[in-house]
Amino acid sequence: MTEEEVRKQFFCLDCGIDTINEYYMVKHKLWKKAVGRNGMLCILCLENRLGRKLKPKDFIKCPVNDGN
């Protein structure tokens, strides 16, 4: 896989922005409902797909979500 192909894996599936610096994890059931497959979404596009704003309870308790 070329470097360009690797970088494209970090582009939002909907709007196409580079999400490489936007790390978050939501609950698997929520992701499956919104996306149904692997890929990346920026938070705004995930909220658009869900039709609502994300809530703290939507996120998995893990280091990537701890805000540090």
Side-chain angles (χ1 to χ4, degrees):
M1 188 175 283
T2 68
E3 185 176 335
E4 184 178 337
E5 290 170 326
V6 171
R7 293 288 297 145
K8 284 184 180 181
Q9 292 178 333
F10 289 94
F11 292 177
C12 177
L13 295 170
D14 290 354
C15 72
I17 67 164
D18 188 346
T19 66
I20 193 146
N21 292 316
E22 189 173 331
Y23 297 113
Y24 67 92
M25 291 182 72
V26 294
K27 293 183 178 174
H28 300 290
K29 189 174 180 180
L30 185 68
W31 185 261
K32 188 174 180 179
K33 176 183 175 184
V35 183
R37 61 184 171 107
N38 290 335
M40 299 291 213
L41 284 176
C42 68
I43 288 179
L44 182 60
C45 286
L46 177 57
E47 289 176 335
N48 286 338
R49 283 190 181 201
L50 294 171
R52 65 173 178 83
K53 294 279 188 188
L54 290 169
K55 302 172 188 171
K57 69 178 186 170
D58 294 327
F59 294 90
I60 295 172
K61 291 182 182 181
C62 66
V64 77
N65 288 337
D66 72 6
N68 293 327

